[in-house]
Amino acid sequence: MQRMLMTSLATLLLTTTGCNRSTPGDDALADFVPPTLVKREEVRAWLEKRFADRDVDGDRRLTRVELGNTRADRIAGADVDQDGAISHDEFIAHGLARFDKADANGDKMVTNKEQDAARAAAAATPTPKTIPPATTVQ
């Protein structure tokens, strides 16, 4: 009986001490980032919400004041008709064009690797001149 108890304790000790050890593969998995998929229609819905949140006066146009001075430089890229504001259609089209550019394989989904590549390419591209800050009327 004493021998059986000692054997059981030894087995328990050996199995529990092995639980705290990591296998060689665990270190490799620590840096693993699963691919994130963003679907085009999800981006469209997000863009619709974002536009609605920013269109304070409800005129379906985003002005420099609504975008704020930090985003005013984006007007030049999205304002296709050059009227000084971004219409709803221009906003959605510009956002989806950025998505399509990032979607390297054209499957209407962007993975984190495709997004990282698109950001790296955008960072390497010179930015256009910044539009002067908007003035507010007091």
Side-chain angles (χ1 to χ4, degrees):
M1 175 104 156
Q2 191 175 21
R3 184 177 183 152
M4 185 185 215
L5 182 62
M6 292 299 283
T7 305
S8 296
L9 286 173
T11 303
L12 182 63
L13 182 62
L14 288 173
T15 57
T16 57
T17 55
C19 291
N20 293 331
R21 292 186 188 165
S22 62
T23 60
D26 288 346
D27 292 335
L29 292 177
D31 294 330
F32 175 72
V33 177
T36 303
L37 296 175
V38 178
K39 296 178 183 174
R40 194 172 196 270
E41 287 309 309
E42 293 170 341
V43 170
R44 176 184 279 284
W46 179 80
L47 289 168
E48 292 284 354
K49 182 182 178 335
R50 190 158 178 132
F51 184 89
D53 290 345
R54 291 181 178 212
D55 187 19
V56 177
D57 59 8
D59 67 350
R60 295 186 54 84
R61 294 167 26 108
L62 298 179
T63 62
R64 289 184 194 177
V65 173
E66 290 171 315
L67 288 171
N69 289 333
T70 58
R71 301 280 185 199
D73 60 330
R74 292 194 178 182
I75 290 177
D79 185 16
V80 177
D81 61 8
Q82 299 297 309
D83 66 349
I86 301 174
S87 71
H88 173 266
D89 293 340
E90 289 172 332
F91 184 84
I92 301 299
H94 183 72
L96 291 177
R98 291 181 64 194
F99 177 90
D100 292 340
K101 189 174 181 180
D103 184 15
N105 62 0
D107 64 354
K108 305 256 188 273
M109 292 186 281
V110 173
T111 64
N112 57 350
K113 286 186 178 184
E114 286 174 320
Q115 186 177 28
D116 290 346
R119 284 182 177 158
T125 306
T127 57
K129 286 185 177 180
T130 302
I131 296 174
T135 57
T136 56
V137 179
Q138 294 180 335

